[in-house]
Amino acid sequence: MLFLLILFYLNSGAARPPRIVLPGYFSCQGALLEESGNSLACYAKTQAECRNGQLVLAFEKRLSARTDRARFEIIDTVHVRTAVPGREVHITYCSTATGKPRQYFVLYKWVPAADKRYLPYPRRAWGVNAQGQLVEVSVKSLRCLNNDYGAD
């Protein structure tokens, strides 16, 4: 009986937030965060909406050991609409003048002949804070790599 009371006490702690699931969503892109093994992922209702539509940006916590098959749980999401033609979201490395490069979701204005090393027109960016939440960061101080630079 004492064992059951202890077990009940241990399991009745702070309630976990409800699990975030995205049934029926298409996985547009994803990137592993090197330092933690967690990931950033972008989802949409259809593959076409990955380029122009309603997106769900997600921070995913790794549940498995790095040596095992990767399993993730969505911890936080941000909904973004990219319905303006020529705006896209990418996961890329950005840095400030004094900071180490980190991965961010970046909403930017796509330029057809963008042969520049850095994204020329970032509009908004989201990163992960210490509490595992997606937060918007100022793009004024960020320099973000253009993932398509040098691709022919």
Side-chain angles (χ1 to χ4, degrees), residues 12-81:
S12 66
R16 282 187 56 159
R19 187 171 176 200
I20 300 171
V21 292
L22 299 171
Y25 275 75
F26 179 82
S27 177
C28 300
Q29 58 182 307
L32 221 60
L33 301 172
E34 294 174 13
E35 63 279 355
S36 64
N38 298 326
S39 76
L40 298 177
C42 181
Y43 297 93
K45 283 284 192 180
T46 66
Q47 187 173 5
E49 284 191 70
C50 288
R51 308 249 328 148
N52 190 8
Q54 181 72 32
L55 301 175
V56 178
L57 312 180
F59 170 63
E60 300 177 333
K61 183 172 178 64
R62 188 179 191 118
L63 299 176
S64 59
R66 287 186 184 231
T67 55
D68 295 340
R69 183 170 183 244
R71 290 183 301 113
F72 297 95
E73 177 180 44
I74 298 173
I75 300 299
D76 195 23
T77 60
V78 172
H79 294 257
V80 177
R81 186 151 184 84

Side-chain angles (χ1 to χ4, degrees), residues 115-132:
D115 58 353
K116 306 214 181 291
R117 181 178 177 92
Y118 297 97
L119 294 175
Y121 304 108
R123 300 289 189 217
R124 296 174 76 183
W126 295 267
V128 179
N129 67 12
Q131 291 77 35

